[in-house]
Amino acid sequence: MSGEVLLEVRNLVKHFEIGGGLFGGRRGLVRAVDGVSFAIRRGETLGLVGESGCGKTTTGRCILQLETPTSGEILFEGRDLTKLGADELRAVRRRLQVIFQDPYSSLNPRMTVGEIIAEPLHVHGIVRGAGARRDRVRDLLRQVGLLPQHAGRYPHQLSGGQRQRVGIARALAMEPALIVCDEPVSALDVSIQAQIINLLEDLQAELGLTYLFIAHDLAVVRHISDRVAVMYLGKIVELADRKTLYDDPLHPYTRALLSAVPIPDPELEARREHIVLRGEVPSPLDPPSGCVFHPRCPIAVDRCRQIVPELREVKPGHWAACLLA
Amino acid sequence: MGTLLEVVDLQTHFLTRGGVVRAVDGVSWDVAEGETVALVGESGCGKSVSALSIMRLVAAPAGRIVGGRVLFKGRDLLSLDEEAMRRVRGREIAMIFQEPMTSLNPVLTIGRQITEGLETHLDMTPTAARARAAELLSMVGIPDPARRLAQYPHQFSGGMRQRMMIAMALACEPSLVLADEPTTALDVTIQAQILELMKSLSRRLGVAMLMITHNLGVVARYADRVNVMYAGKIIERGTAREIYANPRHPYTLGLLRSVPRLDEPRRARLDPIEGQPPDLSRLPGGCSFAPRCAFRVERCLVETPPLRPIGSAEHVSACWEAERVRAAREPVGGRT
Ligand SMILES: Nc1ncnc2c1ncn2[C@@H]1O[C@H](COP(=O)(O)OP(=O)(O)OP(=O)(O)O)[C@@H](O)[C@H]1O
Ligand SMILES: Nc1ncnc2c1ncn2[C@@H]1O[C@H](COP(=O)(O)OP(=O)(O)O)[C@@H](O)[C@H]1O
Ligand code: SF4
Ligand code: SF4
Ligand SMILES: [Mg+2]
Ligand SMILES: [Mg+2]
């Protein structure tokens, strides 16, 4: 991948203050995203993987300006979104779209599929005139593999996979440059996941889309991504092109994640060695000192408790945040 | 090893406004003593209802077991009175659910929830039950069990709650555990911990297990035999090795092909199963998979294929065209 950089995230930090207030509870700071940097080139898919609560969704929401970052820069087509005024932001926001995990809760249950897709066309003045909008809705439905008659249905009358297609059509209606796909297939059945993944790949090829693909399924991420970033407790611990990351992971957490994925082949599974990590993911309210992974790391040494490893380029294009990498 | 559980032609239906939902539509399968058997299939195909039917916990009045037998150690559980059934639940057959929070009582301490079963089922004194509860928690890898017993479910993480569910399930030394998606809500590294724990405990204690999951990888690592379910029916069954190496039903083949795999070169394109699972209240005549099946012939639309042995008596498939499935097994599609 060479191409021009479409999105660059620099030192993104998002902390949430919790506790106190109406419901009491211990006051604290959730370090949801704690200094994340990466770039995505036009037409590229960057995969973002990690266990639940590690900050994937929050990173995506900051990029989409659905959260105000605590600090850091989000450069989209060269402009820092965190510094734009409301009007400028509105114009740029259109080109940044999102597809959610749960297609059901993200679609208005009282609107028909046709209305759901036509709404942004109308509101943002993308297509003027009811007739022209109807045509555009029909095209979009076809593009995502739905039929014209689906326009008259309500979300509850569709299957999960069909609802996800509607979510994709709604995002496409805005003619985006970048789509943040936040666990777009996690809620779907295995037999439907592959349909949606193929659709996303076809649309990318056809429309030159750029994806930030957030997921916890490492096999799905390998399939769809050009490069992959692994997150742990609010930080990126490893980033490399797909092949390097999966064939030659440098960070002990990435290695453990990969070895934990069960493979659908009993003979292979019987032979395969599994790194079973001890303990659980610590709370982002109270992250461990030094390397945040040290309490679970199978190869940790003394200094891992004190020194915070920087994400550094260990080999060309291959970044890892580990003192021993 | 002897047969522990034999489910014969089980049928469980739900009465809904949309009509009768045939959630379990005449299924038969068995579990031998100490064996781990998997029930796989996509959501809504009837896996959970199968397990709930065995426990006789299907939500009445909408849900009803309308036919079949559930032979456990030779006795038909469906003909037991409620009192006798209560003794079976927990004592002889235990269940582990996907979301532990819904099956733990939020207002009772963990200690109380474990000791309760020990006192009622095993007649233990409160002191003995407490000691045993602490032992169980350390067996499932919860550190500092004495202190943990005094805490409430919300004070534990998802992985710890699932460990607790396992401890509770094993408390009365049942001979069968029904585990319904025990790790689906957990992260991969925690999932690996819990599955390794279940596997070693079931080996050590000789407990048989019905493992319900939609994750084909989990099945491959942990099951001796596999039942593949689609639209309320078992459509293929065999040893785990057979099912993965030699799938003989188009649905099983499709499932295996549709998932990207880390152990294989990346494919240029995934091979999905087209279409979507049927509505169980409006099943088509003939084979339920026919609308999505690439092997379909005319007969499939009118005649329902029965489960038939393929090669060995152990391996059965409900497909008229099982021979052609064998020939088509090799993966298609380019590789990169
Ligand atoms: N509002 C909430 N409060 C507390 N926990 C929640 C809440 N919403 C979801 N969860 C927890 O998050 C986990 C994932 O939820 P969900 O059911 O949406 O995902 P899933 O389909 O089970 O798995 P996946 O993690 O792949 O999405 C569950 O364990 C659930 O208990
Ligand atoms: N609005 C919020 N208030 C407080 N904490 C939050 C909020 N949103 C997210 N978090 C916390 O931030 C962390 C990262 O969350 P998230 O980005 O959703 O993780 P992921 O998408 O990787 O699962 C979690 O600990 C989560 O509980
Ligand atoms: S820095 Fe130390 S604790 Fe962190 S991943 Fe590397 S070896 Fe493990
Ligand atoms: S019986 Fe016919 S429709 Fe059903 S799976 Fe076999 S070939 Fe396909
Ligand atoms: Mg998330
Ligand atoms: Mg279920």
Side-chain angles (χ1 to χ4, degrees):
Chain A
M1 272 278 154
S2 43
E4 134 223 21
V5 170
L6 179 67
L7 176 83
E8 189 177 352
V9 173
R10 286 190 194 152
N11 262 315
L12 179 67
V13 173
K14 177 67 194 176
H15 292 170
F16 294 102
E17 274 181 57
I18 58 153
L22 197 54
F23 299 103
R26 192 163 66 101
R27 266 183 192 283
L29 205 59
V30 179
R31 296 168 193 278
V33 178
D34 211 13
V36 157
S37 302
F38 59 82
I40 314 181
R41 297 180 194 104
R42 204 179 279 280
E44 185 188 36
T45 298
L46 178 74
L48 189 58
V49 288
E51 300 182 84
S52 81
C54 71
K56 307 182 294 295
T57 296
T58 306
T59 301
R61 290 175 56 84
C62 287
I63 292 169
L64 294 159
Q65 298 293 299
L66 298 172
E67 300 279 3
T68 310
T70 306
S71 64
E73 292 167 30
I74 293 160
L75 299 156
F76 179 69
E77 294 177 331
R79 294 199 293 170
D80 185 354
L81 300 185
T82 64
K83 299 205 171 62
L84 293 187
D87 285 345
E88 280 177 303
L89 188 60
R90 191 154 344 107
V92 178
R93 264 284 287 128
R94 215 189 88 191
R95 307 183 32 80
L96 287 168
Q97 288 298 309
V98 58
I99 302 168
F100 295 103
Q101 167 171 2
D102 180 358
Y104 198 66
S105 61
S106 64
L107 302 176
N108 185 337
R110 279 178 296 276
M111 285 166 79
T112 64
V113 165
E115 289 163 353
I116 288 170
I117 300 171
E119 190 188 37
L121 297 175
H122 182 58
V123 172
H124 293 268
I126 298 165
V127 179
R128 299 191 192 275
R133 273 197 294 274
R134 251 195 316 278
D135 290 346
R136 180 74 181 123
V137 167
R138 187 157 2 95
D139 287 347
L140 284 163
L141 286 174
R142 185 191 43 75
Q143 211 160 20
V144 298
L146 292 171
L147 302 168
Q149 57 263 37
H150 285 121
R153 306 246 176 103
Y154 288 91
H156 75 266
Q157 295 171 312
L158 301 177
S159 71
Q162 289 173 327
R163 285 196 286 258
Q164 198 53 289
R165 289 174 194 270
V166 174
I168 295 169
R170 185 181 52 180
L172 293 180
M174 306 287 269
E175 296 165 14
L178 177 87
I179 301 183
V180 174
C181 309
D182 191 354
E183 306 263 8
V185 299
S186 308
L188 303 177
D189 273 317
V190 190
S191 79
I192 309 297
Q193 288 189 8
Q195 296 176 4
I196 298 296
I197 291 167
N198 282 354
L199 172 65
L200 288 171
E201 289 188 316
D202 291 346
L203 292 171
Q204 180 169 47
E206 204 176 310
L207 306 170
L209 295 168
T210 306
Y211 293 144
L212 174 64
F213 192 93
I214 299 176
H216 63 266
D217 184 326
L218 287 115
V220 165
V221 167
R222 183 184 78 155
H223 179 80
I224 200 161
S225 308
D226 298 303
R227 286 185 307 133
V228 178
V230 181
M231 259 185 110
Y232 187 78
L233 267 186
K235 292 181 157 54
I236 290 183
V237 297
E238 187 159 5
L239 196 163
D241 68 82
R242 161 183 79 219
K243 191 161 165 36
T244 307
L245 191 103
Y246 283 84
D247 292 354
D248 188 20
L250 286 173
H251 198 283
Y253 177 63
T254 311
R255 291 195 194 131
L257 266 186
L258 288 173
S259 105
V261 178
I263 286 170
D265 178 343
E267 308 206 9
L268 191 84
E269 275 294 333
R271 288 196 311 268
R272 210 167 148 240
E273 204 195 323
H274 288 252
I275 307 169
V276 177
L277 287 180
R278 54 188 175 207
E280 320 224 350
V281 183
S283 160
L285 259 172
D286 189 16
S289 64
C291 173
V292 286
F293 187 55
H294 87 253
R296 304 177 77 198
C297 181
I299 61 166
V301 293
D302 267 349
R303 64 197 157 100
C304 301
R305 286 172 216 274
Q306 286 107 38
I307 305 171
V308 180
E310 293 295 317
L311 184 67
R312 63 193 168 87
E313 196 166 15
V314 179
K315 294 174 193 164
H318 191 168
W319 300 71
C322 170
L323 299 175
L324 305 187
Chain B
M1 259 184 286
T3 300
L4 179 67
L5 176 76
E6 192 180 359
V7 174
V8 187
D9 199 23
L10 183 67
Q11 286 169 273
T12 306
H13 294 174
F14 290 86
L15 218 64
T16 68
R17 274 190 300 169
V20 177
V21 174
R22 296 164 190 277
V24 178
D25 197 14
V27 308
S28 302
W29 45 266
D30 60 281
V31 182
E33 285 163 20
E35 185 190 28
T36 296
V37 173
L39 195 55
V40 281
E42 41 202 320
S43 80
C45 75
K47 307 181 295 293
S48 298
V49 177
S50 297
L52 291 171
S53 302
I54 291 160
M55 294 296 255
R56 286 187 25 201
L57 291 174
V58 180
R64 222 157 57 83
I65 299 172
V66 296
R69 283 175 300 157
V70 176
L71 302 168
F72 179 70
K73 297 181 175 168
R75 284 186 305 173
D76 186 358
L77 298 183
L78 300 186
S79 62
L80 294 186
D81 61 44
E82 188 48 38
E83 181 57 36
M85 192 60 212
R86 248 200 307 274
R87 281 194 298 272
V88 171
R89 278 184 217 126
R91 174 78 187 83
E92 295 192 84
I93 307 179
M95 193 152 173
I96 300 173
F97 296 91
Q98 168 170 352
E99 184 37 67
M101 230 15 207
T102 58
S103 39
L104 288 167
N105 187 333
V107 301
L108 291 182
T109 63
I110 288 305
R112 189 63 207 128
Q113 298 189 54
I114 302 180
T115 52
E116 193 164 16
L118 294 169
E119 288 168 27
T120 53
H121 287 306
L122 299 184
D123 269 338
M124 280 191 180
T125 64
T127 324
R130 256 196 105 66
R132 172 80 177 130
E135 207 177 286
L136 286 163
L137 285 196
S138 67
M139 180 178 80
V140 296
I142 294 183
D144 197 4
R147 186 174 63 88
R148 288 302 202 168
L149 285 175
Q151 297 186 330
Y152 293 88
H154 74 266
Q155 295 172 292
F156 293 79
S157 68
M160 295 249 241
R161 283 199 285 266
Q162 204 53 292
R163 285 173 194 270
M164 248 132 42
M165 286 301 299
I166 295 168
M168 284 166 71
L170 296 174
C172 298
E173 294 172 5
S175 39
L176 175 66
V177 172
L178 309 176
D180 189 356
E181 305 265 9
T183 59
T184 302
L186 304 175
D187 279 316
V188 275
T189 64
I190 308 299
Q191 167 176 297
Q193 290 174 352
I194 300 291
L195 290 170
E196 289 300 324
L197 173 71
M198 288 176 66
K199 182 173 167 173
S200 72
L201 288 176
S202 77
R203 291 251 166 96
R204 211 169 84 211
L205 308 173
V207 186
M209 190 128 54
L210 177 74
M211 174 90 79
I212 295 179
T213 176
H214 65 266
N215 185 321
L216 294 164
V218 166
V219 174
R221 182 154 171 80
Y222 298 98
D224 300 311
R225 282 191 301 150
V226 179
N227 291 286
V228 185
M229 205 167 172
Y230 187 80
K233 290 192 164 68
I234 304 290
I235 52 94
E236 185 164 10
R237 166 172 45 242
T239 62
R241 274 163 202 258
E242 266 289 295
I243 293 285
Y244 284 84
N246 186 21
R248 297 292 294 280
H249 191 285
Y251 176 65
T252 315
L253 180 69
L255 274 186
L256 287 170
R257 271 206 193 146
S258 65
V259 293
R261 294 170 56 147
L262 286 182
D263 62 317
E264 285 180 354
R266 179 179 171 276
R267 277 179 276 170
R269 214 177 152 69
L270 297 177
D271 301 310
I273 302 177
E274 297 303 339
Q276 52 203 354
D279 177 347
L280 296 185
S281 65
R282 284 185 197 78
L283 284 177
C287 175
S288 304
F289 189 60
R292 308 174 74 184
C293 184
F295 295 85
R296 181 184 59 228
V297 293
E298 245 166 69
R299 181 184 193 185
C300 306
L301 299 173
V302 284
E303 272 183 274
T304 306
L307 271 178
R308 293 178 303 171
I310 300 207
S312 73
E314 281 272 276
H315 190 177
V316 293
S317 162
C319 174
W320 297 122
E321 298 292 309
E323 271 315 309
R324 272 168 60 218
V325 177
R326 188 222 303 267
R329 232 173 51 222
E330 285 312 306
V332 291
R335 310 258 168 193
T336 60

